[in-house]
Structures are given as C-alpha cells and as structure tokens.
Amino acid sequence: MSTPRTSGRRAVRLTAALTASALSASLLAACGSSGSSDAAPASDGRPVTITFWAWAKGTKEVVDAFNASHKDVQVKFEQIPSGVAGGYAKISDASKAGNAPDLFNVEYAALPDFVSQGAVQDITKVVSADLKAKYLPQAVQLTTLAKSTWAIPLDAAPQAFFYRKDLFEKAGITTPPKTWDEYRDDALKLKAADPNTRIGTFLPDDPSTFAALSWQAGAHWFTGLDDTWNVDINSTQTKRVTDYWQKLVSDDLVRLQPSFSQQWTASLQKGETAGYLGAAWGGGVLKSTLAGSPDSFGKWAVAPIPTWDGRPASGMLGGSTFAVSKNSKKAKAAVEFATWATTTPEGIQARIASGTSSMFPADPDLIPTAKAAFKTDFYGGQDIYAVFTDASKSIKQDWQWGPAMGITNNSMKDIFGKLNQGGTIQAAVEAAQQGTVAELKNRGLKVAQ
C-alpha cells in the first residue's frame, strides 16, 4: 500500500504530466557547451566555492543554510534583479564577457533561449536518473532539451487568483469568480461599489502572465517537430485571450501598471486593486509586498484561477530552475547545491521559512514541508497549498517554450507599453509573432507558421 506521501506524489504526477519536449538538437541551433563536470573538492582540502546569482524569494536563506551544513562546497551568492527586470540581461552580458557565475536561476520559459545561445552547459553527466525521478515530470521535460539535461528544476508554478475578501463582500460578491465571464461581472460590481476599485491589473511590462493565460486557454505558441519550429503565437486560442483582456482594458475595468512597481504596490495597499492573477509563488510575493500594511493581513484569500468553461484549467506562470553556466568548471559542486536546495526538506524549509516564498516545490514529496513552513496568517489561515496542489493537477499539457523568448517578450511588451497611447494587445501579439519568426530564421532555424 502506498503511503499518503507516495500517493500524493503519484496523483500529482499522473494528473499533471506534460508531454515531453521532444526537441532535436537542430531545433536549438547553437546548443551550449557540454562543459566540465570536474568539481571535486580542492586537493588542498579547502571547500570548492561556487558563485551563484538569483532573485527568487528566500534564496539567501537557502544559501546560508547550505553553507552552514556543508564543508566540501560553499556558495557565494549575489542577489540580482528578476529576469524581466534585468536579471537575464545581466546574465547574458556576463556570459558573453566570460565572467558569468557558476550557477544561476533561470525560468523554464527562458531556458531554451539560454541553451540556444550557448550560455549554459549540458549537465546530463552529473544528473542521475534517480535525481530526475524526484521531480514532477513536466519540470523534468521543460529542462530536457534535445535529450540532454540543461537545468535542475526548483518549482512548478500553477496559476491562482488572489483576492481581497472584504472588498469583494463590500461589492456583494460572495464567492470568487469561477469563469472569465464571472471575473468581468465581478470587475463591474467592484467598480460600481467603489469607482476607485479595480479587480486586477494588466501588466504591460511582463508578457509572462499573458503567456500563462494563453497556455490556460489551450494555445501552443511553439511546437518543435523534427527540425522545424511551428510558431503560432497569434492563434485563435490566443485571440480569445487577447479580445477578452482588450475589452477589460478599454472599459477601464483593470489597471495598467508595471509588475511589482510602486504604483502597483500602492494600489494594493490602498485597496484600489482587489485581485491579483498570479501563481503559487505569488502568495509569498504578495504577503511580503504588503508586509508594511498590517491592515491587509487576514483579508486576502486564494482561489483557483477563473477558466473559460468553469472546469479547472491552468498554465504555468514562471517557475524556475538552476542552470550551470557554460564556462563553469565546477558543475558537480553546482549541481550538488542545486540538488540540496530542491530535494531536501532542509533546503525547502529554509526558503519557505523566510516568510517571503510560497513556491510549489518541483519535488512533490516536499509539498508538505512547504505547507508546514509557510505561515498563512496573511491569508486568514487558509490552506493555500491545497489550492496550489489542485491547480497543479489542471496544468494543460504539451506546452513548449520557444528558443527566442527574449525577442518574443520584448516584441510584445514594446506594444503593451503603448496601450494607453493607441496600441492594442492584438498588435502586440502580431508583433511578437513576426519578431519571433524573423529571429528564428536569423538564427538559421527552420520555421513553419
């Protein structure tokens, strides 16, 4: 008989599995270096020191806990901006200059781009089958490109809807919206109850939320088959999302504010924004963002993200990995740290207990650890990990990320940033389609559309 712990893992794996990204090497063009796995402790007995760049909440606490409990490997950590806020540019610049850290965090969406550019190394030889078996299959698949392992999964990121219970009740709304139609209806009710209140935000600087919503709607922006990429960013499924959000923006039912900006934070603090479409990790981000607003504590709740037909469905919004840079000579030590950080209760405990992270571990055996470590007073004691676990079971299958997401995202957000000046979401989607196809062709990749 399976233990509850084993049953939980099996259930998640069976219901949330995604189809493997069966990419051929030619689909990734200039695949990265196979690197070196020579990372044994120094012959003089001193610990091997690796350098590590990341932005994820709770990372410093993880590094401190690792360094305190390990003698052979030590980690020198540097906090960098998040990927969309400049972290990826910093990593890319350092890689080109030959001074990248040994290890850095990169989201699943950006990993193929870093692989394609040769910025990370193939760590297949230092990642065992037993280690890969610990992680959710979809996490392993999103880190396996051209049959090689390019990163260690940290977390999964099923979508969720965070909302202010008191503001919803004030507007006469007794339950969170289950469908996108209800979300719009609730947006109208919230604005009617208080003209300064909006249900949420459209983030012009961060297309990742729009991508996750398109994923949830059944879109497949990229499909790699044999030696050809099919690029379908402007699909009918995406257009459904585009039209819906364009109307919310045009009708002034959501705010246009940069992600995690001062304006966004102030809007949440004042109760002018009553909801946030995020992912599992967003629980900790929202809590830490409003840490200076004690009046917010106990008023927020988490619900499944609305869907088009009311049946559970989710994409992934973010989700991070540990990747070893192309020039690192300490891959084994880097993987040792990444393994400890992602598969041990001590590693997860250190991150979650920081109070700033509510990530959903890629190793499902550690979900109980994460749940026990995260204090839910901000959410009135709600079992938020139960919501995340259910959402993880509804992640739609077969999503692939493209090898030029930097171009895709930049093309899109350039026009997202002009939504107040005549730009449209559909124009942004078309620009992303055209810009991405042009970039792939420029890299010598075969493209179908």
Side-chain angles (χ1 to χ4, degrees), residues 157-160 162 276-283 316-318 358 388:
Q159 293 172 281
F162 302 84
Y276 162 48
L277 293 172
W281 52 264
M316 286 218 309
L317 173 52
S358 61
F388 301 155

Side-chain angles (χ1 to χ4, degrees), residues 89-138:
K90 182 178 175 69
I91 294 169
S92 293
D93 290 345
S95 179
K96 293 172 184 174
N99 55 15
D102 295 296
L103 185 72
F104 55 85
N105 279 155
V106 58
E107 293 165 292
Y108 296 103
L111 181 62
D113 207 342
F114 277 98
V115 173
S116 178
Q117 295 180 43
V120 299
Q121 66 174 270
D122 181 348
I123 55 174
T124 304
K125 293 182 180 178
V126 290
V127 177
S128 69
D130 287 344
L131 175 57
K132 290 195 287 188
K134 290 179 178 292
Y135 303 112
L136 288 165
Q138 65 265 48

Side-chain angles (χ1 to χ4, degrees), residues 123-182:
I123 55 174
T124 304
K125 293 182 180 178
V126 290
V127 177
S128 69
D130 287 344
L131 175 57
K132 290 195 287 188
K134 290 179 178 292
Y135 303 112
L136 288 165
Q138 65 265 48
V140 173
Q141 290 154 6
L142 289 172
T143 52
T144 303
L145 308 171
K147 299 182 180 179
S148 295
T149 300
W150 296 94
I152 300 293
L154 170 60
D155 64 328
Q159 293 172 281
F161 177 51
F162 302 84
Y163 68 102
R164 278 275 299 264
K165 292 180 294 186
D166 58 327
L167 297 180
F168 271 60
E169 291 170 358
K170 179 181 175 183
I173 307 168
T174 56
T175 59
K178 293 183 179 179
T179 67
W180 289 117
D181 284 342
E182 291 179 6

Side-chain angles (χ1 to χ4, degrees), residues 7-24:
S7 297
R9 165 185 278 212
R10 182 175 301 163
V12 170
R13 286 183 170 171
L14 287 174
T15 53
L18 297 177
T19 299
S21 299
L23 305 180
S24 66

Side-chain angles (χ1 to χ4, degrees), residues 411-446:
S411 299
M412 196 170 287
K413 71 181 182 182
D414 281 349
I415 297 181
F416 279 174
K418 300 174 183 175
L419 291 182
N420 275 333
Q421 305 161 34
T424 65
I425 299 175
Q426 185 61 33
V429 169
E430 296 297 340
Q433 172 79 20
Q434 296 169 16
T436 302
V437 169
E439 176 63 17
L440 297 193
K441 290 181 177 177
N442 185 52
R443 294 186 187 184
L445 300 173
K446 293 183 179 179

Side-chain angles (χ1 to χ4, degrees), residues 167 170-171 186-200 251-255 267 270-274:
L167 297 180
K170 179 181 175 183
D186 290 349
L188 290 165
K189 291 176 183 176
L190 285 161
K191 187 176 179 180
D194 184 338
N196 290 323
T197 301
R198 302 291 181 273
I199 194 170
D251 292 347
D252 190 26
L253 292 176
V254 292
R255 298 192 182 285
S267 180
K270 296 175 183 175
E272 294 177 346
T273 297

